[in-house]
Each structure stands twice: as structure tokens, then as C-alpha cells.
């Protein structure tokens, strides 16, 4: 600790330390002061330092007597309204300032700035002011005398004022806080953890110590604000079990205390950080947002919607409120940040007129957008396929302007945006190439290298050299499966681009691809934990994975199938859906876990499991028990489902042949359908269209398979619109089958192609046989197949024409391509089986021609194909 004569005189006058104990120390400090700067002192001698540490803390804590003048200083500080008053007081009374005065002065500087619009000039002025330097020196000298609250407050304040993290004051405060971790109360611990987080010490030993203290004190924490803050700070260093404990603790606080909007937002942010969509906690947080929607500003709504998107969480009520509030603020927003947020969140869900209005507002403030905001706007333009030439030109020029400031992952995003906006501009691409190469020369982390390689491979002229290939080769053993897949995609792009020089490039590329395969196989063999494997497989897809890694991945999952539990069964089911690989042993294990632990699976996630079995058209050994458990679990929460999700559940069950009456009645009523229409208005158009089609297919399935429920068919107009919008085109293969079918039946007018049945099923080919099993010509058929088009028609019984005479039979011929089957078997998918079932209900006999038979070597000649088709068609037709 360091003092001068004035400090000593003040301390002595206060009666805090006897004059005889300190007067000699003050004389030594005056002698050691540097002549150039009266407040920058030389290092104190060890003997003096030890004397001071022995007497001063004891004196301040045992003889902490304050005079009336000290209270005056505190009162003055509390009443100040600007930084000039604070600095004036420090200048006149610096020898009399105690640790409380120092804390109050620094804190007042922060409070003053928070009441004003942020200004970098003001912040620079404060940090460079001589009296702020005095405050920092005084604070550093008095650290050991500060109580816990003062210590944390001073650290928070100096960091808020953007003092460098390597400043000696900041370092000393952090070290002292580290020593006192176990003594800090939950609110102070959370504030201290936030300070550590703001210094980017996310994975530091100190953050690990904070997490350990939180772990010990978790049961005693009842402050939702403190918990929500510290949860986010320690999220990078905690285990999976600790994440679950923190989430359960947060969930329990909703019943014990009032949760604010900010606390709820931080809880959702924690779930996003740890990639843990805990649905009960999300629902409770969403209720807080809905109840306090009047408190939400544009920034708050933008943050919450962004978090929901990352967590794939959807709530119609909040989205409607958000849309309404954003539209309310549309005309009042002037700041670039708010206008950007309005465009990002409104553009995908409003009509073209409002989209145009939002784009014009963006164009007006475009020059004030920073690099991050520009990139966000560009990505949203890409998402909504917005094609305003002026806005595109402006955004591209801004991206070019900010290129030097972007990090590696942002350069990748810029590259993707430019490709989708179709703006070939040589200078920006050349600059992207130069920056990526410069970054690559210093990057060593696989994720960074991968992103930069991806940039280089997606340029109009993909760039690669020997140094890049060597760098990729060096990091391959450290890469995850997803990273290995991405490297393969980039290499294949390079090989395609350089195919003219294949001799010079094939050797290094080939060896690198072999090494990637080898690393992937080794990684699969080493992983013995299912949760870790599923985490790596989450975003794994693409041709390389399907052709090289899929079977070994399924084998690895089979080896770990006993580790499938209620906590990971949904993730496992979701992965299998994406692979299109039908492994009955894994399906049986998933069904067994669902039957035994259905209560531990959150009700809104059951649809993933049902979609899996529906897609693969598979019934497990205890099928009735499995579907009954799932249906009962869902039925308890019908009123809590989002409308579109309930429609998906109904469709999945219908595809498997199950029609729970309670669910069907819940879906097909006016109130529910109104809610669904409202939700569809705020969903992206692709999601809305998908839900609309699923409702139509469910309506069709119920009408055909459960007529006793008396659900009307109300999609006739919708189907007519689909027919008008859809332009039919036919492959050469379909033309070939049509011609051969005409030869087999006698003439081409004996068959019709692309027939639209009642209930809007479209079948490839249709013909009719009479009661003697002879083909019957269509009298009104006037369609002649050609290379451009084969005519489309409608089934006679579909649109009011006469029904077939007694004994006549319609035959439907369906060509099944590879999409109709599971990847590893000849087992048809669920929607194909349901279509066959429905066509038979409509009176058809269905003939299916699998692609693997039609394209086989046995049917390589036209004669063989004709014989096969005749056997298939007429053989089926002759069956009574």
C-alpha cells in the first residue's frame, strides 16, 4: 500500500492509526516518488510493505471511525450529475478519499454515462482524464481494504468504462476477487462472474473455480437474477449433469419467486448456449414474455425471436404479439439497429407491400449500418429471396467496405450471401480470397481453417495451393465427423474445378480424401459414448456421409444401443429420420425405451419418434403397446400443442394406420382450424405450406379410413388450386412405360397417364378392365405421348362422370423411384403404403413397379421390359 504525507495526516486526524506507526512510512514514500509524475511511485521496499500490511488493514477494520466531513463527500458524490463534478471533487480531496469514496466516485461515472446516449468520445475523455488516473491509483492502493461489495462494484465499473483488461487495477481486482470467491454472496458472485466473462476468460481456471463454487451453493441460491447471470457465464465450462441441475433449479424458481423478463431471457439464452432445449423451462419463460409483453421493446423482441430460432422453439401466441408490436413500432423506429431488427423479423412474415416499405427504410439508413448489421440484413434478404436491385447493390458495397473487419466465420457468411444474391463482382471476390489466405497463414484451430477453406472453395474461381492442402492434412486428426465431411465437400469442389488439370491435382487430393476416410473410421471406433456420438452426428449429412460413413455409423449406433435412454431417444430418432436407413434393431430399442419411459419424454417431442416409425413403415414387436403409450401421453396435453405440431402428429399416426378419436376431434373443429390459420400467417411460407399439405393429407386419410367419424372433405378447392399451379413434366422413363403399356393393352388410348383421382391422389398410369378381364378403351382419350409432354387427365369417377359398370375394374400403375424406399432395403416408406391403402379403398387395384426391378440388368432390353410389364399388369389384372 502506498501513501503520501497528506494521506498520513488525514488518517492520523481520523484516529485510525497512531502517528508514530506511519510517519516514517510516509517519509519513505515521499522520497521514492518519481519526479516526473507525482502519483506514479517506485516499488515500495519489502520491509515497509510488510509493516503497512500488518497495521493498516487492522486499523481500518478495528478503528473505522468516520468524521462528519467524510459523509459530506459521499453526499456530494451521490448528488453529482456529470463527470466534471466528480473529477473536481477528486482533484480537491484525493488525500482524504477512502475506499468507499473511490467506489462511489467510479460508480457515479458509470451512472452518469448510462443516462446518456453512448458516445465513444465521452468514454475516451473519461479514461484519459488525469483525475480518473488518480482514482485508478487510489483504488489499486485500497483493494485489500474494500469489502466484497465494493471490490466487485469497482471491477464492474472500470470494465464498463472499457478500461483494458490487462490494466494493473483490473488484474489486481480479479486476483483479489478470486481469493474471496467462497465468501461472495450469490448476487456478488454472479456480478463477478460477469466481469470475468466480459474479459473473455470463458474457459479459464478462474471460471472453472466460479462454477465449482456455484455447484456447492446451488441449493441455497434463490435469487433468479443472480442465477440467470451466473448460468450464462459458466456455461462453457460445466458438465452435462451440471447443466441439467442448473436447468432444474431455474425451473423450480418460477414457483418460488417472481421472474422478470430479463431473468427469463437469460434462462433462454443459457439453454441456447448449452444446446439444451428444455421444453418445460422454455414454456415458463415464454409465459413471462407473453404476460409482460407491454415491457418489451424492439431490441428485446429481436433477441427473444433469435433465441427461439436457434432452439427451434415456436409459440404462436408470442409470435403474434411480437408481430403486432413490431408493426406498431415500424413508423417510430429511426436507429439503424431498430430498423435492421424490424426488417429481419418482419420481412419473412408480412406481405410484399410491407416488405417493400421495410426495404426502403433499410435503404435510407444503410450507410449507418455497421458490419454486423449489414451481414444480418444480407442474410435475411437471401432467406426471403428479396431482389431489390438498389438494395442488393448497396448491401454488396457495404459488405465490401467491411470485409477487412470480418472474422473467419463472418467471411464464410459473406461468401454464402454473395452466392445466393447472384452478384458476381470480381473485386470483392478477389479481396475475399486475399483475406482468407492471410487468415489461413495464422490459424491453427480446425474450425477456423475449415471456414476459410470453405470460403476459398466457394469463390467463382476456387483457390487452392499446396500450402492449404498441407494445412488441411495437419489438422485432420483433430477434426470432428462434421468437419471431416465439410473438408470432403470442399475438396470435391476443387477437384471438379480443376478437372482440366487433373493430373497435377489428383494425387494430393486422392491421398487427402483417403486420410479423411481413415480419420472418420477411427473416430467412429473410438467413440464409446452415445451422447457424444449423437452430438457429432447432429449436422452430419451429404453425399460423402451417405456413401462412405453411413453404414459404419449405423453399426456404431447399434453397438451403443443399450445407452439409448429417455434423455437421448429423441435425438437418436431424429438422426435416423435424416439417414433414411431402416435398422430394425435400433427401431426396436427406441420403441422399448418409449414404452417403458414414455412419461420421461416431453410430450411435444413424441412426434419425432412417431414420425420415425411412420416414415419407415415399421411396427415394433409390441406395436399396439407402443402406439397406445404414445397416444395416451399425447392425449393428456392436446390443448398445449401448437396447431401445426398437432397436425403433424395426426398425420404421422394416420400414416401408420392409427386414428385416435380424441385427437381427430380436437383437430377437425372450427376453433382449432382458426388457430391453425393464425399460426400459418406468421410461419415462413415453406413451413406454412408443409403444414397445409399435412392437414389435407390427414383430412383425406380420415375421410377414407374412418368414415364413421363423419369428418367432411373440405379440401376440394385447395386441391383444385394445386392442380392449377402444378406444371406436369414427364421423364423419358415414364414415356417409355406409357408406350409399352399401350402396346401391351392394344393401343395407347387404353391407358391414361398422370390421373388425378378423387381426394386429390395423382397416379402415374390408369387403365380399366371389363368383367371378362379385357382392357377397355377410353372413348374420350385424345392424348398422344411425345417427347415434350404426355397429357394429364382426371379419373372419370372423380368429377361427376358416370361410375364404372358392374364388373369393371380400375387398375393403377405406379412407378416407385428410389425415394419411395428406405436406403438399405426394398421396404416402401409409410406414405407409399398409405397411398396404396387409400387407392384400394377408392376401388383401384394397384400395380407397383419398383425402380430396382425396372432398371436391373435382367430388364436391359425392350423385349424384357415389355414381358416384365405385361406379367406385372395383366397378371395383377387377372387376379379375381
Amino acid at each position: 500500500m502506498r501513501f503520501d504525507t497528506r494521506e498520513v495526516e488525514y488518517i492520523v486526524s481520523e484516529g485510525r492509526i497512531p502517528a508514530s506507526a506511519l510517519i516514517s512510512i510516509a517519509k519513505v514514500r515521499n522520497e521514492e516518488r518519481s519526479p516526473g509524475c507525482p502519483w506514479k511511485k517506485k516499488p515500495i521496499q519489502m520491509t515497509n510493505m510488510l509493516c503497512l500490511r500488518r497495521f493498516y488493514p487492522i486499523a481500518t477494520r478495528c478503528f473505522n471511525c468516520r468524521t462528519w466531513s467524510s459523509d459530506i463527500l459521499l453526499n456530494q458524490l451521490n448528488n453529482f450529475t456529470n463527470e466534471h463534478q466528480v473529477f473536481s471533487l477528486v482533484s480537491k480531496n484525493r488525500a482524504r478519499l477512502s475506499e468507499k469514496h473511490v467506489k462511489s466516485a467510479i460508480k457515479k461515472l458509470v451512472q452518469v454515462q448510462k443516462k446518456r446516449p453512448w458516445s465513444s468520445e465521452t468514454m475516451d475523455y473519461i479514461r484519459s482524464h488525469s483525475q480518473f488516473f488518480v482514482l485508478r491509483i487510489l483504488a489499486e492502493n485500497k483493494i485489500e481494504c474494500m469489502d466484497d461489495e465494493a471490490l466487485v462494484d469497482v471491477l464492474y465499473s472500470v470494465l464498463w468504462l472499457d478500461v483494458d483488461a490487462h490494466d494493473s487495477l483490473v488484474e489486481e481486482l480479479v486476483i483479489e476477487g478470486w481469493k474471496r470467491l467462497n465468501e461472495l454472496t450469490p448476487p456478488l458472485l454472479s456480478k463477478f462472474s460477469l466481469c470475468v466473462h466480459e474479459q473473455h476468460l470463458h474457459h479459464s481456471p478462474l471460471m472453472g473455480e466460479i462454477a465449482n463454487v456455484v455447484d456447492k451453493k446451488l441449493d441455497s441460491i434463490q435469487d433468479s437474477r443472480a442465477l440467470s447471470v451466473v448460468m450464462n457465464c459458466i456455461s462453457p465450462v460445466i458438465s452435462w449433469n451440471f447443466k441439467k441441475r442448473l436447468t432444474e433449479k431455474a425451473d423450480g424458481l418460477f414457483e418460488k419467486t417472481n421472474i422478470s423478463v430479463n431473468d427469463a431471457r437469460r434462462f433462454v439464452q443459457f439453454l441456447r448456449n448449452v444446446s439444451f432445449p428444455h421444453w418445460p423451462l422454455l414454456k415458463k419463460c415464454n409465459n413471462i414474455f407473453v404476460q409482460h409483453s407491454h415491457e418489451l421493446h424492439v431490441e428485446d423482441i429481436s433477441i427473444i425471436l433469435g433465441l427461439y430460432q436457434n432452439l427451434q422453439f415456436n409459440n404462436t401466441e408470442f409470435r403474434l404479439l411480437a408481430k403486432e408490436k413490431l408493426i406498431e413500432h415500424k413508423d417510430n423506429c429511426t436507429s439503424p439497429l431498430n430498423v435492421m431488427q424490424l426488417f429481419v423479423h418482419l420481412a419473412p412474415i408480412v406481405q410484399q407491400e410491407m416488405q417493400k416499405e421495410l426495404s426502403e427504410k433499410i435503404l435510407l439508413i444503410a450507410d449507418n449500418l455497421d458490419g454486423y448489421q449489414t451481414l444480418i440484413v444480407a442474410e435475411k434478404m437471401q432467406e426471403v429471396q428479396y431482389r431489390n436491385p438498389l438494395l442488393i447493390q448497396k448491401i454488396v458495397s457495404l459488405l465490401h467496405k467491411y470485409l477487412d473487419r470480418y472474422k473467419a466465420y463472418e467471411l464464410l457468411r459473406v461468401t454464402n450471401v454473395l452466392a445466393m444474391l447472384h452478384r458476381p463482382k470480381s473485386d470483392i471476390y478477389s479481396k475475399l480470397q486475399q483475406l482468407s489466405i492471410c487468415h489461413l497463414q495464422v490459424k491453427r484451430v480446425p474450425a477456423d481453417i475449415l471456414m476459410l477453406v470453405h470460403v476459398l472453395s466457394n469463390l467463382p474461381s476456387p483457390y487452392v495451393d499446396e500450402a492449404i492442402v498441407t494445412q488441411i492434412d495437419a489438422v485432420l486428426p483433430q477434426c470432428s465427423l462434421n468437419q471431416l465431411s465439410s473438408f470432403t465437400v470442399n475438396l470435391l469442389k476443387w477437384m471438379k474445378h480443376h478437372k482440366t488439370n487433373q493430373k497435377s491435382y489428383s494425387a494430393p487430393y486422392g491421398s487427402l480424401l483417403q486420410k479423411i476416410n481413415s480419420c472418420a473410421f477411427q473416430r467412429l471406433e473410438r467413440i464409446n459414448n452415445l451422447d457424444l456420438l449423437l452430438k457429432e452426428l447432429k449436422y452430419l449429412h451429404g453425399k460423402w456421409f451417405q456413401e462412405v460413413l453411413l453404414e459404419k455409423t449405423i453399426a456404431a449406433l447399434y453397438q451403443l444401443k443399450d445407452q439409448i435412454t429417455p434423455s437421448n431417444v429423441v435425438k437418436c430418432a431424429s438422426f435416423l429420420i435424416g439417414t433414411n436407413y431402416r435398422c430394425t434393431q435400433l427401431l426396436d430399442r427406441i420403441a422399448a425405451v418409449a414404452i417403458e419411459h414414455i412419461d420421461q419424454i416431453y410430450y411435444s417431442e413424441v412426434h419425432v419418434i412417431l414420425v420415425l416409425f411412420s416414415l419407415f413403415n415399421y411396427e415394433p414387436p409390441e406395436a399396439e403397446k407402443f402406439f397406445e403409450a404414445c397416444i395416451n401421453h399425447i392425449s393428456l396435453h392436446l390443448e398445449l400443442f401448437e396447431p401445426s405440431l398437432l397436425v403433424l402428429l395426426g398425420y404421422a399416426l394416420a400414416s401408420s394406420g392409427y386414428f385416435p378419436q380424441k385427437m381427430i376431434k380436437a383437430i377437425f373443429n372450427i376453433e382449432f382450424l382458426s388457430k391453425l390459420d393464425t399460426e400459418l400467417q406468421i410461419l415462413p411460407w415453406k413451413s406454412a405450406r408443409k403444414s397445409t399439405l399435412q392437414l389435407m393429407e390427414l383430412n383425406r386419410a380420415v375421410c377414407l379410413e374412418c368414415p364413421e367419424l363423419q369428418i367432411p372433405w373440405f379440401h376440394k378447392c385447395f386441391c383444385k388450386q394445386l392442380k392449377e399451379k402444378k406444371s406436369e413434366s414427364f421423364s423419358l422413363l415414364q414415356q417409355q412405360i406409357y408406350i409399352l403399356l399401350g402396346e401391351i393393352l392394344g393401343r395407347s388410348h387404353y391407358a391414361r397417364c398422370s390421373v388425378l383421382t378423387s381426394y386429390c391422389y395423382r397416379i402415374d398410369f390408369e387403365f380399366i378392365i371389363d368383367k371378362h378381364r379385357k382392357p377397355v378403351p377410353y372413348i374420350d382419350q385424345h392424348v398422344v405421348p411425345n417427347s415434350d409432354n404426355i397429357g394429364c387427365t382426371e379419373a372419370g369417377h372423380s368429377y361427376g362422370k358416370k361410375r364404372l359398370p358392374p364388373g369393371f375394374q380400375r387398375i393403377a400403375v405406379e412407378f416407385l423411384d428410389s425415394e419411395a424406399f428406405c436406403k438399405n432395403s426394398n421396404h416402401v416408406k409409410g406414405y407409399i403404403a398409405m397411398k396404396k391403402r387409400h387407392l384400394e379403398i377408392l376401388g383401384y387395384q394397384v400395380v407397383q413397379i419398383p425402380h430396382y426391378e425396372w432398371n436391373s440388368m435382367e430388364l436391359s432390353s425392350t423385349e424384357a421390359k415389355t414381358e416384365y410389364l405385361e406379367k406385372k399388369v395383366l397378371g395383377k389384372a387377372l387376379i379375381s
Side-chain angles (χ1 to χ4, degrees):
M1 296 298 167
R2 303 162 185 172
F3 299 88
D4 63 11
T5 304
R6 287 172 296 175
E7 292 177 294
V8 173
E9 290 172 354
Y10 174 71
I11 294 169
V12 172
S13 69
E14 292 284 302
R16 295 162 64 183
I17 297 180
S20 59
L22 287 177
I23 195 67
S24 61
I25 296 176
K27 290 180 179 179
V28 171
R29 293 306 304 146
N30 286 332
E31 293 171 1
E32 291 180 342
R33 183 181 294 117
S34 299
C37 180
W39 286 96
K40 188 173 183 181
K41 303 148 185 122
K42 297 178 182 178
I44 190 169
Q45 293 181 3
M46 183 59 70
T47 55
N48 291 335
M49 182 179 72
L50 293 176
C51 291
L52 181 60
R53 289 197 173 184
R54 179 170 181 174
F55 290 107
Y56 181 65
I58 297 174
T60 56
R61 291 171 186 174
C62 297
F63 306 100
N64 194 13
C65 303
R66 296 294 185 198
T67 65
W68 182 71
S69 61
S70 295
D71 292 336
I72 291 178
L73 292 179
L74 287 174
N75 290 335
Q76 287 177 345
L77 282 167
N78 290 332
N79 293 326
F80 286 162
T81 58
N82 60 65
E83 62 273 11
H84 306 293
Q85 294 172 316
V86 176
F87 290 146
S88 176
L89 183 141
V90 173
S91 175
K92 295 175 183 178
N93 301 278
R94 58 186 179 184
R96 302 171 57 195
L97 298 179
S98 69
E99 70 278 2
K100 288 189 177 180
H101 298 136
V102 173
K103 181 197 94 168
S104 297
I106 297 176
K107 194 171 182 180
K108 176 57 67 173
L109 291 174
V110 173
Q111 291 172 354
V112 168
Q113 298 311 310
K114 284 184 175 180
K115 294 178 182 179
R116 304 172 178 169
W118 188 88
S119 169
S120 59
E121 291 80 7
T122 305
M123 297 288 282
D124 291 339
Y125 168 76
I126 291 174
R127 287 195 303 271
S128 60
H129 199 284
S130 60
Q131 298 309 313
F132 184 67
F133 182 74
V134 170
L135 277 174
R136 287 163 52 191
I137 296 298
L138 289 173
E140 189 172 352
N141 285 340
K142 300 175 186 297
I143 284 177
E144 290 187 1
C145 307
M146 295 179 185
D147 59 22
D148 296 339
E149 183 179 359
L151 179 80
V152 175
D153 280 350
V154 171
L155 176 59
Y156 176 84
S157 297
V158 296
L159 288 175
W160 194 93
L161 292 168
D162 208 16
V163 175
D164 190 79
H166 298 293
D167 185 88
S168 60
L169 172 59
V170 176
E171 291 179 345
E172 291 294 330
L173 289 167
V174 170
I175 291 171
E176 185 64 25
W178 194 341
K179 294 176 183 177
R180 302 187 194 182
L181 275 183
N182 290 303
E183 304 169 10
L184 298 180
T185 62
L188 291 178
L189 184 62
S190 71
K191 197 169 186 179
F192 182 73
S193 67
L194 182 61
C195 295
V196 176
H197 184 271
E198 288 299 314
Q199 297 176 74
H200 305 290
L201 301 174
H202 312 302
H203 299 88
S204 64
L206 174 55
M207 193 64 82
E209 283 288 331
I210 295 172
N212 187 44
V213 174
V214 174
D215 190 19
K216 293 176 183 177
K217 296 183 177 182
L218 185 59
D219 294 336
S220 64
I221 298 178
Q222 301 301 325
D223 187 331
S224 60
R225 185 180 187 281
L227 180 64
S228 63
V229 170
V230 79
M231 283 171 67
N232 280 283
C233 294
I234 64 176
S235 60
V237 296
I238 57 178
S239 65
W240 175 253
N241 289 332
F242 194 18
K243 291 175 187 176
K244 292 176 65 177
R245 287 187 60 216
L246 286 168
T247 305
E248 291 166 2
K249 178 68 178 181
D251 189 43
L253 286 182
F254 279 80
E255 300 173 0
K256 300 177 182 179
T257 183
N258 292 325
I259 307 296
S260 70
V261 169
N262 286 333
D263 295 342
R265 176 183 54 78
R266 283 189 289 266
F267 285 142
V268 177
Q269 189 173 349
F270 170 78
L271 297 178
R272 190 277 311 270
N273 291 345
V274 298
S275 302
F276 182 40
H278 188 270
W279 302 114
L281 181 56
L282 277 171
K283 292 272 188 180
K284 291 179 180 179
C285 292
N286 185 78
N287 291 337
I288 297 293
F289 301 144
V290 172
Q291 293 168 12
H292 298 83
S293 59
H294 59 280
E295 301 177 18
L296 299 177
H297 302 290
V298 173
E299 295 89 340
D300 304 316
I301 295 172
S302 176
I303 291 171
I304 294 168
L305 289 175
L307 294 172
Y308 280 4
Q309 183 177 359
N310 287 329
L311 288 166
Q312 297 181 342
F313 176 75
N314 179 47
N315 180 265
T316 303
E317 187 177 7
F318 177 76
R319 287 186 177 277
L320 285 171
L321 285 171
K323 180 181 178 181
E324 181 181 341
K325 287 189 73 69
L326 290 174
I327 292 176
E328 284 178 9
H329 289 88
K330 176 172 60 68
D331 296 327
N332 301 325
C333 289
T334 56
S335 71
L337 176 62
N338 289 156
V339 174
M340 180 271 292
Q341 290 168 336
L342 284 173
F343 180 81
V344 166
H345 296 295
L346 282 180
I349 58 175
V350 295
Q351 300 298 325
Q352 289 186 353
E353 290 183 5
M354 190 172 290
Q355 276 188 3
K356 184 179 179 181
E357 183 180 348
L358 290 169
S359 67
E360 289 173 353
K361 290 178 74 74
I362 284 284
L363 197 56
L364 289 174
I365 56 92
D367 290 326
N368 297 321
L369 294 173
D370 61 26
Y372 173 76
Q373 294 166 352
T374 302
L375 186 52
I376 293 294
V377 169
E379 289 176 330
K380 191 56 60 174
M381 290 170 59
Q382 169 193 338
E383 179 185 331
V384 301
Q385 299 181 351
Y386 194 70
R387 292 289 181 264
N388 184 328
L390 291 176
L391 185 56
I392 290 176
Q393 183 178 356
K394 187 64 179 179
I395 292 298
V396 171
S397 66
L398 288 172
L399 291 174
H400 195 181
K401 172 185 173 182
Y402 293 122
L403 270 186
D404 292 325
R405 306 180 192 178
Y406 287 136
K407 298 179 181 179
Y409 73 94
E410 291 171 324
L411 291 177
L412 173 59
R413 292 165 64 183
V414 170
T415 307
N416 293 336
V417 165
L418 291 174
M420 295 302 295
L421 291 178
H422 306 293
R423 289 291 295 182
K425 193 175 181 182
S426 57
D427 51 348
I428 191 171
Y429 284 120
S430 61
K431 191 171 182 180
L432 266 172
Q433 178 176 309
Q434 294 171 6
L435 289 171
S436 300
I437 294 172
C438 291
H439 281 298
L440 268 175
Q441 293 172 353
V442 297
K443 296 293 184 182
R444 295 295 179 268
V445 178
D448 292 336
I449 294 173
L450 172 61
M451 286 184 284
L452 294 167
V453 166
H454 193 75
V455 171
L456 293 172
S457 66
N458 280 275
L459 297 175
S461 298
Y463 176 84
V464 64
D465 58 21
E466 188 176 346
I468 295 175
V469 174
T470 303
Q471 199 167 3
I472 295 173
D473 183 79
V475 300
L476 286 181
Q478 308 171 46
C479 292
S480 66
L481 294 174
N482 193 39
Q483 290 170 338
L484 292 172
S485 175
S486 298
F487 275 130
T488 303
V489 171
N490 294 323
L491 285 174
L492 292 174
K493 287 181 180 178
W494 280 332
M495 292 177 71
K496 182 179 180 180
H497 179 73
H498 294 292
K499 60 184 178 181
T500 54
N501 301 322
Q502 196 168 1
K503 291 183 179 179
S504 59
Y505 283 96
S506 60
Y509 286 158
S511 61
L512 203 55
L513 287 172
Q514 290 178 1
K515 185 171 182 178
I516 289 175
N517 294 346
S518 176
C519 289
F521 297 152
Q522 292 173 15
R523 195 167 185 87
L524 276 175
E525 292 171 0
R526 287 197 302 265
I527 297 179
N528 56 9
N529 182 283
L530 181 60
D531 291 325
L532 293 177
L533 180 58
L534 290 173
K535 185 177 180 180
E536 291 212 11
L537 296 176
K538 185 175 181 180
Y539 301 108
L540 197 58
H541 55 82
K543 189 175 180 181
W544 173 78
F545 170 70
Q546 291 284 340
E547 295 180 355
V548 176
L549 213 58
L550 179 56
E551 291 192 1
K552 289 187 177 293
T553 302
I554 297 296
L557 286 172
Y558 176 75
Q559 293 295 323
L560 302 174
K561 66 182 175 65
D562 292 335
Q563 295 183 30
I564 297 178
T565 64
S567 63
N568 59 29
V569 65
V570 173
K571 294 179 182 178
C572 190
S574 179
F575 170 73
L576 290 175
I577 289 172
T579 64
N580 193 28
Y581 195 99
R582 188 173 182 266
C583 179
T584 56
Q585 296 92 336
L586 286 173
L587 294 174
D588 291 343
R589 173 60 184 170
I590 290 172
V593 171
I595 291 171
E596 186 176 355
H597 303 287
I598 191 66
D599 293 336
Q600 299 178 40
I601 302 172
Y602 197 60
Y603 67 88
S604 65
E605 292 187 305
V606 175
H607 76 278
V608 179
I609 299 173
L610 290 175
V611 167
L612 173 69
F613 286 86
S614 165
L615 174 67
F616 290 151
N617 188 26
Y618 180 72
E619 291 194 348
E622 296 182 293
E624 292 294 332
K625 193 174 180 181
F626 165 71
F627 283 103
E628 183 181 358
C630 292
I631 291 170
N632 289 340
H633 190 48
I634 294 166
S635 299
L636 296 174
H637 307 89
L638 284 179
E639 67 281 358
L640 300 178
F641 278 94
E642 292 297 311
S644 59
L645 185 55
L646 193 57
V647 169
L648 173 59
L649 273 167
Y651 171 73
L653 286 169
S655 179
S656 299
Y658 290 85
F659 297 87
Q661 186 169 345
K662 186 177 179 181
M663 179 185 293
I664 299 301
K665 292 291 186 181
I667 293 174
F668 292 102
N669 72 71
I670 299 300
E671 183 181 355
F672 175 87
L673 295 175
S674 298
K675 290 181 180 178
L676 179 63
D677 284 338
T678 303
E679 183 188 4
L680 296 181
Q681 293 174 13
I682 58 172
L683 286 178
W685 71 271
K686 287 185 179 180
S687 300
R689 178 177 173 82
K690 185 177 180 181
S691 293
T692 304
L693 289 172
Q694 288 170 348
L695 179 65
M696 183 271 288
E697 291 169 344
L698 177 59
N699 185 200
R700 176 171 59 198
V702 172
C703 289
L704 290 172
E705 299 194 58
C706 300
E708 69 277 6
L709 296 179
Q710 297 183 345
I711 302 297
W713 170 245
F714 55 86
H715 279 88
K716 184 176 290 186
C717 293
F718 175 75
C719 292
K720 188 174 291 186
Q721 292 173 2
L722 285 181
K723 178 194 170 188
E724 292 171 354
K725 291 180 180 179
K726 189 172 182 180
S727 58
E728 293 294 333
S729 59
F730 298 89
S731 65
L732 292 174
L733 186 145
Q734 289 173 308
Q735 295 178 37
Q736 182 186 34
I737 294 176
Y738 182 79
I739 293 171
L740 293 178
L741 195 59
E743 293 178 0
I744 293 169
L745 297 176
R747 287 188 180 181
S748 60
H749 63 264
Y750 277 82
R752 287 183 173 182
C753 61
S754 191
V755 177
L756 191 67
T757 74
S758 56
Y759 296 101
C760 200
Y761 267 126
R762 189 171 293 278
I763 55 180
D764 293 336
F765 309 99
E766 178 197 87
F767 67 93
I768 301 174
I769 57 174
D770 61 17
K771 58 185 178 181
H772 303 294
R773 303 307 184 193
K774 300 292 184 181
V776 177
Y778 287 99
I779 298 174
D780 57 347
Q781 174 77 310
H782 301 292
V783 179
V784 180
N786 56 58
S787 59
D788 297 324
N789 179 53
I790 298 178
C792 315
T793 187
E794 300 159 358
H797 63 291
S798 304
Y799 294 91
K801 296 184 181 180
K802 293 182 179 180
R803 292 186 177 274
L804 293 177
F808 281 53
Q809 177 69 57
R810 294 184 186 275
I811 309 296
V813 181
E814 287 277 274
F815 178 80
L816 304 182
D817 59 14
S818 59
E819 293 296 318
F821 298 90
C822 302
K823 183 175 181 61
N824 59 314
S825 72
N826 296 333
H827 193 82
V828 295
K829 293 180 181 177
Y831 72 92
I832 297 295
M834 181 170 67
K835 182 177 181 179
K836 182 175 185 291
R837 201 164 65 235
H838 290 173
L839 289 175
E840 289 172 347
I841 292 174
L842 289 171
Y844 282 94
Q845 286 187 1
V846 181
V847 178
Q848 294 178 331
I849 303 175
H851 72 97
Y852 54 84
E853 292 181 359
W854 186 258
N855 296 324
S856 65
M857 290 297 294
E858 294 180 7
L859 303 184
S860 57
S861 65
T862 303
E863 292 78 10
K865 279 182 167 52
T866 304
E867 183 180 350
Y868 166 84
L869 192 59
E870 183 175 3
K871 183 178 179 180
K872 271 273 187 182
V873 171
L874 296 183
K876 181 73 176 179
L878 291 175
I879 296 177
S880 59

